[in-house]
Amino acid sequence: MPCVADWLNNPFSIVQGIFAQNVPNSDWEKKVTEYFKEKLKENNATNWVPSLNDVPVHYLKPNSLVKFRCMVQDMFDPEFYMGVYETVDPNTNARVLHFGKYRDVAECGPQQEIDLNSSQTVTSERQTFYCVPVPGESAWVKEAYISASQARVSPSTSYTPSRHKRSYEEDEDMDLHPSKQKEQHLGSGGDTHGCVEPKRLETEASAGHHLISPNCSPPLDLNFPLPGEKGPACLVKVYESWDSFKVNDVLEVYGILSVDPVLSIINNEERDSSALNPMESMDTAEEQRVHSPPASLVPRIHVILAQKLQHINPLLPACLNEEESKTFVSNFMSELSPVRAELLGFLTHALLGDSLAAEYLILHLISTVYARRDVLPLGKFTVNLSGCPRNNIFTEHIYRIIQQLVPASYRLQMTIENMNHSRFIPHKDYTANRLVSGVLQLASNTSLVVDETQLEQGQLDTKGVHNVTALGNLITWQKVDYDFNYHQMEFPCNINVLITSEGRSLLPSDCQVHLQPQLIPPNMEEYMSSLLTAVLPSVLNKFRIYLSLLRLLDYSISEEVTKAVEEDFVEMRKNDPESVTADDLHRTLLVARFLSLSVGQTTLSRERWLRAKQLEALRKARLQQQKCVNGNEL
């Protein structure tokens, strides 16, 4: 009988047991999935599974059960593998059936050979996703997931069985001497082929974009969308329902970790042989390098269970439809009013005493695209916060505050150099047969803060113009046109864009709010830094739950209120036919929607409609006042 921990430490023993009991029955695969699904439902079982987001790969036991919270950056072509195969012992002619699912390399004993002509062989298909950690994921999100984890891990002992296991806490020595781990990965000789020191390999593995692979080929680009990102990239092998996933989806996958050094040897041999005889391989050397990187740098996960995540906020239940989650939601909604008041006060201080701008910032932060009508995304609410001090400190701190409130964000500094040199739009590299990522390849509900106060006079080149156009299309249509050389392909997205600028932004926006500071602190750096330190962690967590939860709520307008709004709008047009347009109605309805949600109401009331009109009137009056002061410039 397998012991309780076997499903975590040695899932293959469980799969083997189910396979042996059910073959030749074809439903053994379903039974494996059901077994692990049930195990993970047991109280807090998901917290016992080590996560690749939190734990370095060399601390994880090969072929153990792991999880990974990630975004699908690219999808490779499907691949065929031996789902079931038969081995034969040449001496005794004894035959044994094996499963090939969840494996990269077929298992075969020392006295056995695989019978490729066996009638028992079943060829199956699987899909490979190239997955990266969620771009721009906030530090507080990572920390909360780590603190919730109850996984016990110790450095991998698979390559040196005689070495004693040690607990995670005792193994600081491995962090101080990572070369020991690399020697295990590279075999007993520890030869790094004169490429780089093992310690260098280790530090680069944790540092981000480029990794040196042990065979001394050029640096391996991990293809992260955002510069400076850290964490592992993984090849995620999916066996069921892969059609339900798409590029940029955020997933949590549970599967068997494969970091077999044999993979690197096989891939190197394949590359060498295809270089000698190009007819032997259909793939280019570059494609093989990208699709089959060393497993120590880009581990494989063979998926047993995968789910799309509604959100990545660890303070909220993963799925809000379950009964337990409904209790959590109703409890939080009952204390919504004081949380909103505190958040409004906090943001008012951050915006130098401007409570109107703080109101609009709350509405912006809970906005989300809830539907699409033809090409029009409904629910997007891009705010242009104009009148910002031409002072890097202010906009940087506004971003830091947003970073502390939302699960994923990125600050895009709109300088001429960035516009001309950054890669915004993902494009297809046909030589390597992969999608090369860009800054605008972001997960749903990411907050993108565009800092236009950095913009100075200069010339945009062709790439710069394309980048600015792509930003404009993202804001207006909530889509990014990925470049496939011979054509463009639309990828819909749901990105909250906040633009900070001095005058009116060059980019389109749904709503311009002109900042009116009520105080100018003598030391901006000190003032903004003290804001975050003054907020209690428990209060900050309430702000985080508030903003994530309200994005997920449903909203409706009754027929009665719809009729009243229409009549009200007709009246407004009569009184001021020139300045009241259909766009004003659309924007006021949006403001009313998010205003209602911000106080926990999922339907529009007369009171909220009047409040939305009042906010809009104040905002427009402020813009008009600024226009009078500065002439035409807003």
Side-chain angles (χ1 to χ4, degrees):
M1 271 300 284
C3 74
V4 179
D6 271 9
W7 68 275
L8 266 179
N9 296 323
N10 189 11
F12 275 139
S13 66
I14 304 293
V15 179
Q16 178 59 49
I18 296 172
F19 176 75
Q21 284 172 17
N22 292 276
V23 166
N25 218 334
S26 60
D27 68 349
W28 69 272
E29 296 176 68
K30 267 188 196 166
K31 289 186 176 177
V32 168
T33 308
E34 281 163 15
Y35 175 90
F36 283 96
K37 197 179 277 183
E38 287 307 311
K39 280 289 174 194
L40 289 167
K41 274 183 191 168
E42 289 173 14
N43 72 26
N44 285 339
T46 53
N47 291 339
W48 289 97
V49 182
S51 170
L52 272 172
N53 301 90
D54 316 336
V55 185
V57 176
H58 61 267
Y59 276 97
L60 295 168
K61 185 184 171 193
N63 301 327
S64 64
L65 190 73
V66 295
K67 63 183 176 184
F68 187 39
R69 186 177 64 259
C70 55
M71 183 185 85
V72 181
Q73 190 276 321
D74 195 6
M75 292 179 165
F76 295 160
D77 295 330
E79 61 185 33
F80 294 103
Y81 70 99
M82 289 191 295
V84 177
Y85 60 95
E86 195 171 35
T87 56
V88 60
D89 186 327
N91 302 323
T92 62
N93 262 358
R95 291 177 170 270
V96 182
L97 267 187
H98 301 264
F99 64 91
K101 195 175 182 180
Y102 311 124
R103 297 186 191 278
D104 282 306
V105 181
E107 190 184 49
C108 191
Q111 298 299 317
Q112 293 179 321
E113 292 174 1
I114 295 173
D115 182 0
L116 295 173
N117 299 314
S118 167
S119 60
Q120 302 271 30
T121 302
V122 176
T123 303
S124 303
E125 191 180 8
R126 63 189 175 199
Q127 175 75 54
T128 304
F129 296 162
Y130 186 84
C131 293
V132 296
V134 179
E137 188 178 74
S138 300
W140 65 265
V141 171
K142 298 182 199 299
E143 286 160 15
Y145 276 115
I146 290 169
S147 63
S149 172
Q150 295 168 7
R152 302 284 298 168
V153 290
S154 52
S156 161
T157 59
S158 61
Y159 310 129
T160 51
S162 59
R163 182 171 171 267
H164 295 295
K165 279 194 177 183
R166 285 180 289 188
S167 74
Y168 192 66
E169 289 84 353
E170 290 169 349
D171 212 88
E172 289 174 5
D173 182 51
M174 270 298 162
D175 280 340
L176 298 172
H177 301 96
S179 55
K180 293 179 186 175
Q181 280 298 331
K182 281 295 162 187
E183 283 161 16
Q184 290 168 14
H185 277 279
L186 295 166
S188 57
D191 180 16
T192 55
H193 304 280
C195 186
V196 285
E197 295 170 13
K199 189 161 187 173
R200 169 93 180 277
L201 282 171
E202 192 72 27
T203 50
E204 296 212 358
S206 63
H209 242 56
H210 297 280
L211 295 178
I212 308 293
S213 57
N215 63 357
C216 222
S217 50
L220 185 69
D221 180 2
L222 289 185
N223 212 11
F224 292 146
L226 300 178
E229 289 278 277
K230 296 179 182 179
C234 286
L235 290 178
V236 173
K237 312 267 182 176
V238 184
Y239 293 85
E240 280 102 24
S241 312
W242 58 73
D243 291 342
S244 62
F245 303 118
K246 55 188 187 299
V247 169
N248 303 337
D249 276 352
V250 175
L251 313 179
E252 183 161 59
V253 299
Y254 291 83
I256 297 173
L257 175 70
S258 170
V259 285
D260 200 323
V262 175
L263 288 171
S264 304
I265 297 163
I266 291 168
N267 294 331
N268 289 344
E269 285 174 355
E270 278 180 4
R271 273 200 287 277
D272 294 343
S273 66
S274 64
L276 293 170
N277 182 5
M279 296 304 288
E280 279 189 21
S281 174
M282 295 289 286
D283 300 341
T284 63
E286 183 60 25
E287 184 172 349
Q288 282 180 12
R289 203 167 83 86
V290 165
H291 287 239
S292 305
S296 56
L297 301 182
V298 181
R300 281 65 164 161
I301 298 178
H302 292 267
V303 175
I304 295 174
L305 293 168
Q307 59 179 8
K308 272 190 217 180
L309 293 180
Q310 269 187 302
H311 62 84
I312 55 162
N313 188 334
L315 307 173
L316 278 180
C319 183
L320 294 175
N321 300 330
E322 292 167 5
E323 280 309 312
E324 290 172 28
S325 307
K326 285 176 182 172
T327 311
F328 172 89
V329 172
S330 61
N331 288 344
F332 188 81
M333 295 301 272
S334 65
E335 55 175 67
L336 204 67
S337 189
V339 175
R340 187 192 196 281
E342 280 189 83
L343 178 59
L344 182 62
F346 173 65
L347 293 178
T348 301
H349 283 300
L351 295 167
L352 308 178
D354 188 343
S355 59
L356 181 68
E359 280 276 9
Y360 274 92
L361 186 52
I362 289 177
L363 305 186
H364 162 76
L365 290 171
I366 62 170
S367 66
T368 186
V369 175
Y370 61 88
R372 290 179 188 267
R373 196 152 292 150
D374 298 326
V375 294
L376 197 67
L378 305 178
K380 73 182 181 77
F381 194 58
T382 298
V383 170
N384 170 207
L385 188 63
S386 60
C388 292
R390 189 172 179 74
N391 176 340
N392 197 24
I393 295 170
F394 176 76
T395 46
E396 188 184 319
H397 277 82
I398 288 297
Y399 171 64
R400 279 195 203 162
I401 283 165
I402 288 172
Q403 213 177 12
Q404 285 295 326
L405 297 174
V406 299
S409 60
Y410 182 63
R411 179 184 176 217
L412 179 59
Q413 298 189 58
M414 204 172 166
T415 60
I416 293 290
E417 189 183 353
N418 274 351
M419 293 297 108
N420 287 341
H421 297 108
S422 295
R423 193 169 66 217
F424 279 25
I425 307 160
H427 71 271
K428 181 76 173 182
D429 176 351
Y430 285 95
T431 308
N433 190 20
R434 74 161 172 183
L435 183 66
V436 179
S437 66
V439 168
L440 298 184
Q441 187 175 10
L442 298 170
S444 229
N445 291 320
T446 301
S447 283
L448 179 64
V449 178
V450 180
D451 188 356
E452 216 179 274
T453 62
Q454 306 284 298
L455 199 58
E456 291 178 344
Q457 285 190 337
Q459 187 71 43
L460 284 176
D461 59 20
T462 309
K463 187 175 183 178
V465 171
H466 282 159
N467 282 340
V468 173
T469 305
L471 255 182
N473 284 339
L474 166 68
I475 291 164
T476 307
W477 306 111
Q478 284 291 318
K479 70 180 178 76
V480 180
D481 295 324
Y482 290 15
D483 182 5
F484 282 76
N485 291 17
Y486 312 107
H487 68 285
Q488 291 189 326
M489 192 179 288
E490 273 185 21
F491 281 76
C493 54
N494 184 4
I495 310 296
N496 279 21
V497 185
L498 175 70
I499 308 160
T500 56
S501 60
E502 277 188 283
R504 184 174 185 167
S505 172
L506 302 172
L507 296 166
S509 66
D510 298 302
C511 180
Q512 184 192 351
V513 182
H514 195 82
L515 188 69
Q516 275 190 355
Q518 303 301 304
L519 61 120
I520 303 293
N523 187 331
M524 185 75 80
E525 175 82 46
E526 199 178 291
Y527 174 81
M528 297 299 267
S529 299
S530 65
L531 271 174
L532 274 173
T533 51
V535 184
L536 290 171
S538 59
V539 174
L540 208 48
N541 281 345
K542 283 181 180 176
F543 293 167
R544 292 161 176 166
I545 294 169
Y546 173 90
L547 294 173
S548 293
L549 181 59
L550 296 184
R551 270 182 176 173
L552 300 167
L553 295 182
D554 290 324
Y555 172 87
S556 61
I557 306 179
S558 66
E559 282 184 28
E560 186 186 339
V561 174
T562 304
K563 195 177 176 188
V565 166
E566 283 173 2
E567 287 169 1
D568 202 1
F569 180 65
V570 170
E571 200 60 38
M572 287 160 66
R573 285 294 296 264
K574 272 184 194 170
N575 297 336
D576 194 355
E578 287 186 15
S579 63
V580 178
T581 64
D583 283 344
D584 289 312
L585 173 64
H586 177 68
R587 184 170 44 248
T588 312
L589 280 169
L590 262 185
V591 170
R593 176 191 182 92
F594 299 126
L595 201 55
S596 300
L597 288 172
S598 76
V599 294
Q601 294 178 1
T602 54
T603 185
L604 181 59
S605 64
R606 177 83 183 153
E607 182 193 353
R608 292 294 143 208
W609 170 248
L610 294 174
R611 175 66 178 145
K613 278 172 60 180
Q614 184 189 13
L615 284 178
E616 277 294 276
L618 289 168
R619 184 187 68 81
K620 285 182 183 173
R622 190 181 282 191
L623 286 178
Q624 200 57 42
Q625 183 187 347
Q626 193 61 27
K627 195 173 182 179
C628 295
V629 173
N630 289 359
N632 287 328
E633 193 198 341
L634 286 175

